[in-house]
Amino acid sequence: GIKSGDQIIRIDDKFTKDLTINDAVKRMRGVKGTKVILTIMRDGFDRPKEFSLIRDVIQVKSVKFRMLDNGYGYLRIAQFQERTDDDMVKALKTMVSENSGKQLSGLVIDLRNDPGGLLDQAVRVSDHFIPSGKMIVYTEGRDKDAKMEFKASSRSKEPNYPIVVLINSGSASAYEIVAGALQDHKRAIIM
């Protein structure tokens, strides 16, 4: 019942007003199987409501996929984790296999509500679609160490089928690298 945009007013008996984000996260985390009560306020509520949660280990499956009609593939990246690139490669191969071995007609990459994750995985995912040697992302800063460039490698690329990347206000961080690189190189339409 907790939704994006909800305001956490209280964690157990402690008001969050004077807590840092790290302190709030520490209070919400705990031993698996223990209870935490979050007091939530959201648009449409007359007054805050309490949600009783049982702590658990959350396993997020990074990549989900399925075939759509007419040979189009749908690829959902929920979060950029350690195995996202490997999981995406397997998903693309499986979709081609499910498409009678034929190249995909197009691909929808769904990054909505993706909170981001590992930079190297965002670069590796982008690399499958960007021509060799082209810039994927770079960073700049005052310190010498802050300047980095990530360019597409010479490894084999996905065929040049149409791509639509779905994003929303809940997407952040690493997703912006993928969406931006694909858009910059006119490899995808961002929606």
Side-chain angles (χ1 to χ4, degrees):
I2 296 175
K3 298 181 179 181
S4 177
D6 283 353
Q7 296 176 359
I8 301 173
I9 307 294
R10 206 167 49 221
I11 302 167
D12 289 325
D13 294 328
K14 179 77 172 165
F15 283 95
T16 59
K17 182 180 179 203
D18 297 322
L19 293 179
T20 66
I21 189 76
N22 288 336
D23 290 337
V25 168
K26 283 179 189 173
R27 288 186 169 278
M28 286 186 273
R29 287 186 174 156
V31 177
K32 178 180 175 175
T34 60
K35 184 169 84 170
V36 62
I37 298 172
L38 301 182
T39 305
I40 302 291
M41 189 62 189
R42 82 169 58 129
D43 289 341
F45 281 6
D46 294 334
R47 55 188 166 80
K49 292 185 182 179
E50 287 187 354
F51 290 81
S52 179
L53 305 172
I54 304 299
R55 294 178 175 103
D56 202 347
V57 176
I58 300 171
Q59 298 290 343
V60 176
K61 189 171 182 181
S62 177
V63 175
K64 295 178 184 174
F65 65 94
R66 69 178 188 271
M67 285 302 296
L68 304 173
D69 293 337
N70 302 321
Y72 287 87
Y74 171 85
L75 182 77
R76 165 100 176 101
I77 300 177
Q79 189 171 10
F80 289 89
Q81 300 173 353
E82 195 172 285
R83 296 196 36 83
T84 299
D85 178 58
D86 293 337
D87 291 346
M88 183 191 76
V89 168
K90 287 177 190 169
L92 291 168
K93 285 181 181 175
T94 301
M95 286 189 283
V96 167
S97 176
E98 290 176 6
N99 195 35
S100 304
K102 295 184 219 160
Q103 170 183 313
L104 297 176
S105 301
L107 182 65
V108 175
I109 302 175
D110 190 349
L111 301 177
R112 292 175 296 178
N113 297 314
D114 183 329
L118 301 175
L119 170 65
D120 72 306
Q121 291 299 302
V123 169
R124 290 177 61 97
V125 164
S126 301
D127 190 22
H128 290 279
F129 306 100
I130 306 293
S132 179
K134 299 290 184 178
M135 182 68 66
I136 294 173
V137 67
Y138 68 92
T139 62
E140 287 186 8
R142 293 182 189 151
D143 297 331
K144 230 180 200 180
D145 296 343
K147 187 171 182 162
M148 295 184 285
E149 289 186 352
F150 299 92
K151 294 184 178 184
S153 71
S154 58
R155 71 177 173 181
S156 66
K157 306 296 178 178
E158 280 297 298
N160 199 25
Y161 46 68
I163 300 174
V164 173
V165 177
L166 304 178
I167 62 172
N168 66 4
S169 62
S171 309
S173 179
Y175 107 86
E176 295 169 306
I177 292 167
V178 174
L182 295 181
Q183 182 179 39
D184 285 352
H185 294 290
K186 297 178 180 25
R187 191 61 185 87
I189 294 172
I190 310 301
M191 184 178 282

